[in-house]
Amino acid sequence: MDYNYIVIEGNIGSGKTSLTGMIAEKYGARIILEQFDDNPFLPKFYKDPDRYSFPLELSFLASRYNQLNKELSNIDLFKPLVIADYVFSKSLIFAGVTLKPEEYTLYRQIFNIINRNLPKPDLLVYLYLPVEKLLDNIKARGRDFEQSIPANYLEKLHLSYMNWLNYQRDIKILIVDMSGLDFVNKKEDFDKIENCIFGKKMKIGINRLLLS
């Protein structure tokens, strides 16, 4: 195993949590899943983003830091692989889309102070899906507060992710085009993705793989 800490990332509805769980189960890995169900600001944000974006992003910043700081400082020797369905910098990626410029400046200052205390992943896997497929997945999983997410918001998030990924110079990044794949229901599709993650040599920076 070349990796001790892997992150599966992607836009809303890209399948990152499902893939994280499947890999963790197969490899007996320790799993870290983002805790968002109990965030009181999330449903309010989708109804009134201008009012609730700043408290939402601050609350996620705090909860993500507390969770990762706790989980990554308490390594289980019997489960050397840790796999998470989000990277801490997700906070900055989303804030860049949702916050006003003056709010984002303050937010970034807070982020930079606490970010240096967390370890970086050995590999970050970004799952790409076109917006129309993301919307289909969001509709299918049926979370009420997500049903009003507009397509342009998802497109802005993707661009924010890509902008951040392009500036990373010290971690390995694998971008996987998930178009046409159904790894949840087709074992052969899961095997393709698994082989890319664990069977391919990665360079520092961005590695791109198109699977079909």
Side-chain angles (χ1 to χ4, degrees):
M1 179 69 66
D2 293 332
Y3 308 117
N4 297 114
Y5 176 27
I6 297 175
V7 168
I8 309 294
E9 258 293 359
N11 210 328
I12 301 170
S14 61
K16 54 188 177 292
T17 301
S18 297
L19 183 60
T20 299
M22 293 171 70
I23 292 175
E25 181 179 2
K26 179 166 183 177
Y27 285 85
R30 183 174 171 186
I31 189 171
I32 302 175
L33 300 179
E34 183 174 15
Q35 301 168 344
F36 61 87
D37 289 339
D38 58 350
N39 190 311
F41 296 107
L42 192 56
K44 296 176 182 178
F45 165 76
Y46 285 124
K47 292 181 179 179
D48 190 352
D50 288 339
R51 180 178 180 183
Y52 291 105
S53 58
F54 194 64
L56 172 72
E57 299 302 345
L58 281 180
S59 64
F60 269 131
L61 183 70
S63 64
R64 287 167 183 152
Y65 175 79
N66 288 332
Q67 183 184 24
L68 290 176
N69 187 52
K70 176 182 177 181
E71 295 288 348
L72 296 176
S73 63
N74 183 23
I75 300 299
D76 186 344
L77 295 178
F78 296 100
K79 291 185 177 180
L81 174 61
V82 177
I83 184 165
D85 71 345
Y86 71 97
V87 67
F88 184 61
S89 293
K90 176 179 185 175
S91 299
L92 202 61
I93 292 166
F94 273 66
V97 173
T98 62
L99 299 184
K100 299 173 183 177
E102 63 274 16
E103 293 175 334
Y104 180 73
T105 298
L106 173 60
Y107 185 92
R108 190 180 185 105
Q109 292 174 353
I110 300 171
F111 173 88
N112 288 338
I113 291 171
I114 61 179
N115 181 49
R116 63 177 67 111
N117 298 320
L118 293 174
K120 294 183 178 180
D122 302 310
L123 175 67
L124 187 148
V125 181
Y126 180 79
L127 306 182
Y128 168 75
L129 271 179
V131 169
E132 59 270 19
K133 289 187 177 294
L134 294 173
L135 290 171
D136 288 342
N137 290 346
I138 290 168
K139 183 178 180 180
R141 70 186 181 189
R143 296 173 185 160
D144 290 340
F145 61 85
E146 291 182 339
Q147 299 308 305
S148 60
I149 296 178
N152 68 328
Y153 177 63
L154 297 176
E155 183 61 35
K156 288 178 181 178
L157 284 177
H158 172 66
L159 294 175
S160 186
Y161 267 109
M162 295 308 300
N163 182 62
W164 179 81
L165 291 172
N166 281 319
Y167 277 94
Q168 303 313 300
R169 300 290 185 265
D170 54 357
I171 61 174
K172 296 178 180 179
I173 298 166
L174 173 63
I175 298 179
V176 182
D177 190 331
M178 304 291 291
S179 304
L181 297 178
D182 182 5
F183 66 87
V184 173
N185 298 304
K186 296 180 179 179
K187 183 180 182 302
E188 60 271 24
D189 287 350
F190 173 77
D191 291 343
K192 290 178 182 178
I193 299 170
E194 179 196 5
N195 182 61
C196 288
I197 295 173
F198 296 103
K200 305 288 186 181
K201 289 294 183 181
M202 304 290 171
K203 64 180 181 180
I204 298 294
I206 290 180
N207 304 262
R208 298 176 184 270
L209 287 173
L210 174 63
L211 301 177
S212 58

